[in-house]
Amino acid sequence: MADYWMGDPLGKYAVVLKGTNQFAGAVEVHLDERNQKAEIGYLITRRFWGNGYAPEAAAALLDLCFNILHLNRVEAMYDSRNHNSGRVLEKLGMHVEGRLRNDRIDDDGTPITTVVTAITAREYRENRE
């Protein structure tokens, strides 16, 4: 478990509720230092959906990437069937850059299209003004 949570080099972070410290999900950052970019991801436990935790947690990752690490670009991908996840990324100012049709196969054998989104440091700063 320690290797899973602490790896790659920034790793994964728990999303916990203020006050109760109840586990609500996890976020992760995969850093590509050479290209000054990162990929972010998030997973919120189903019973906590709709409370704004995903946008809040993902916004904290963008803050880390742009204001602490001074990266040039942040990317995120989601299953095209998950419109709510797409909406989270849109709220953060990320733009759809493409779709990877039949990118992977779901457990039931259904081909899945992955949507690729990104935001640049310039766009991030402009959105915050």
Side-chain angles (χ1 to χ4, degrees):
M1 286 300 291
D3 287 341
Y4 174 79
W5 285 101
M6 297 306 293
D8 193 17
L10 291 179
K12 297 164 180 57
Y13 306 93
V15 174
V16 296
L17 303 183
K18 292 178 184 174
T20 65
N21 284 335
Q22 189 173 16
F23 180 80
V27 295
E28 60 186 342
V29 177
H30 299 272
L31 184 62
D32 178 349
E33 290 180 88
R34 182 187 182 288
N35 293 302
Q36 298 180 343
K37 68 179 184 175
E39 180 181 347
I40 63 169
Y42 51 87
L43 176 65
I44 302 298
T45 304
R46 183 178 297 265
R47 69 184 177 136
F48 295 112
W49 287 3
N51 292 299
Y53 300 138
E56 182 180 352
L61 293 180
L62 288 183
D63 181 63
L64 169 70
C65 290
F66 290 123
N67 295 322
I68 306 298
L69 301 174
H70 305 289
L71 300 179
N72 184 51
R73 173 185 170 87
V74 174
E75 303 167 348
M77 293 185 261
Y78 68 95
D79 180 332
S80 65
R81 300 171 299 177
N82 189 342
H83 301 289
N84 290 336
S85 192
R87 181 73 183 117
V88 166
L89 298 171
E90 182 182 312
K91 286 180 186 178
L92 296 173
M94 300 185 86
H95 302 282
V96 172
E97 293 192 332
R99 296 179 182 279
L100 307 174
R101 295 177 298 139
N102 297 345
D103 180 47
R104 55 194 175 86
I105 304 297
D106 200 355
D107 292 339
D108 67 0
T110 304
I112 297 172
T113 296
T114 299
V115 180
V116 179
T117 67
I119 185 170
T120 65
R122 189 181 110 238
E123 292 167 338
Y124 179 77
R125 286 190 300 275
E126 288 173 356
N127 288 346
R128 295 182 54 105
E129 293 175 354

